[in-house]
């Protein structure tokens, strides 16, 4: 099916690529259906495009960019909602006017089960920052 | 900040309409009961911060900044326009839930794990 995206115009997607949030992205409770847009050359970023509102899109970062050992515990009630399958963690990025000031929310990752195509935003009990600088602490930038 | 000591079952009052009661202590966790008028919105601070962060994240960044981000995130630099699909079952699947073993290229900025 063809969808309208915020950043890339009209795009063709497959029905099986649609991800349903069974627990909402906080503050966006009415928006449950999303699709991931990505570039084959950059697996560290994903555009989480809403199907309910073409103007709504989040940019997600691979946690490995900020923490190679990030594998937090998902609260049990949310974990059950995801169903059987693996859990993929992505961090919602706040892109700053100067991209070097951009942050990711490590406290509240988006967790996706690719088998069930279900997703949640989990607020972790573990002590992770909500605004973790994405770039500043990397030595090679 | 005002700091008070309370035992389980004891409470304190904020103004004359709000009561905060310690109901249970277990390890480093404390259960708190709050009685307040309905018009007071009570939420965990991290939930409120997450909502604020989500709202900030939902505003469209200028493409130029994203190009810079791409370059910063990957030595290969900005790629072409993203395509539709499911990266989760496509050619790559970064950020797996399993504990990631520390390898030479497993650190920040390293290669994402290979697809299964």
């Amino acid at each position: 099916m063809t969808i309208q995206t915020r950043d890339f115009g009209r795009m063709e997607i497959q029905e099986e690529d649609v991800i349903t949030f069974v627990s909402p992205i906080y503050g966006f409770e009415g928006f449950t259906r999303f699709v991931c847009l990505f570039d084959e050359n950059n697996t560290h970023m994903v555009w989480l495009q809403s199907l309910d509102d073409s103007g709504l899109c989040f940019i997600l970062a691979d946690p490995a960019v900020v923490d190679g050992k990030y594998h937090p515990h998902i609260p049990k009630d949310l974990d059950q909602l995801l169903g059987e399958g693996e859990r993929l963690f992505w961090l919602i990025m706040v892109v700053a006017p100067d991209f070097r000031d951009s942050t990711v929310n490590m406290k509240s990752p988006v967790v996706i089960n690719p088998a069930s195509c279900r997703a949640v935003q989990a607020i972790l009990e573990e002590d992770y920052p909500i605004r973790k600088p994405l770039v500043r602490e990397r030595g090679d930038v | 900040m005002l700091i008070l000591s309370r035992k389980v079952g004891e409470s304190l009052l904020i103004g004359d309409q709000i009561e905060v009661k310690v109901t249970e202590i277990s390890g480093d966790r404390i259960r708190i009961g709050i009685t307040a008028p309905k018009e007071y919105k009570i939420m965990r601070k991290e939930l409120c911060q997450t909502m604020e962060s989500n709202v900030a994240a939902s505003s469209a960044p200028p493409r130029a900044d994203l190009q810079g981000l791409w370059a910063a995130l990957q030595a290969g630099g900005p790629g072409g326009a993203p395509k539709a699909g499911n990266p989760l079952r496509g050619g790559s699947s970064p950020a797996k839930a399993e504990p990631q073993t520390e390898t030479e290229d497993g650190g920040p900025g390293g290669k994402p794990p290979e697809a299964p």
Side-chain angles (χ1 to χ4, degrees):
Chain A
M1 59 180 170
T2 305
I3 61 162
Q4 182 66 39
T5 67
R6 185 189 70 181
D7 294 345
F8 311 109
R10 293 178 77 79
M11 294 183 75
E12 191 64 31
I13 65 161
Q14 304 300 314
E15 187 67 45
E16 62 261 32
D17 291 332
V18 175
I19 291 162
T20 302
F21 275 78
V22 288
S23 180
I25 296 175
Y26 293 99
F28 295 86
E29 281 72 11
F31 306 91
T32 57
R33 296 170 76 236
F34 287 83
V35 66
C36 288
L37 310 175
F38 72 109
D39 186 307
E40 284 174 331
N41 297 316
N42 189 339
T43 53
H44 294 308
M45 283 172 78
V46 156
W47 272 249
L48 186 66
Q49 171 66 50
S50 168
L51 299 187
D52 303 306
D53 178 352
S54 61
L56 179 61
C57 185
F58 295 94
I59 297 171
L60 310 182
D62 176 358
V65 170
V66 287
D67 182 353
K69 288 181 281 190
Y70 184 77
H71 46 89
H73 299 285
I74 310 165
K76 217 180 255 177
D77 51 336
L78 286 180
D79 195 58
Q80 287 173 347
L81 292 176
L82 288 168
E84 290 285 311
E86 66 178 320
R87 274 88 174 102
L88 305 175
F89 291 93
W90 287 90
L91 307 179
I92 296 181
M93 196 190 301
V94 178
V95 181
D98 180 339
F99 72 85
R100 285 168 294 192
D101 296 327
S102 298
T103 59
V104 286
N105 183 348
M106 297 181 74
K107 178 76 172 174
S108 322
V110 166
V111 190
I112 304 173
N113 177 354
S116 64
C117 286
R118 290 184 204 161
V120 300
Q121 183 175 26
I123 296 183
L124 305 173
E125 294 192 1
E126 286 127 303
D127 197 15
Y128 282 111
I130 287 182
R131 296 181 189 278
K132 168 80 173 175
L134 185 63
V135 173
R136 199 180 300 142
E137 293 176 4
R138 281 160 54 83
D140 58 341
V141 176
Chain B
M1 184 189 289
L2 172 66
I3 298 172
L4 300 167
S5 287
R6 297 278 70 190
K7 293 177 183 167
V8 172
E10 292 182 337
S11 61
L12 55 89
L13 301 171
I14 301 172
D16 51 10
Q17 289 188 299
I18 301 173
E19 180 177 0
V20 179
K21 187 174 185 177
V22 177
T23 62
E24 188 185 324
I25 301 175
S26 169
D28 62 353
R29 298 176 69 85
I30 299 168
R31 290 177 73 84
I32 295 169
I34 301 165
T35 308
K38 272 189 190 140
E39 59 266 30
Y40 286 91
K41 197 170 170 182
I42 299 167
M43 54 166 47
R44 291 182 291 156
K45 185 177 179 183
E46 61 268 30
L47 175 56
C48 185
Q49 290 173 324
T50 291
M51 285 175 67
E52 289 169 1
S53 178
N54 286 346
V55 169
S58 70
S59 60
R63 286 301 301 276
D65 292 333
L66 284 177
Q67 293 293 325
L69 258 184
W70 281 33
L73 283 175
Q74 195 171 53
K83 66 174 193 174
N86 190 339
L88 316 168
R89 68 162 83 83
S92 60
S93 52
K96 284 191 170 43
E98 296 95 54
Q100 295 175 354
T101 50
E102 192 77 329
T103 59
E104 281 178 47
D105 60 2
K111 279 159 58 181
E114 291 300 314

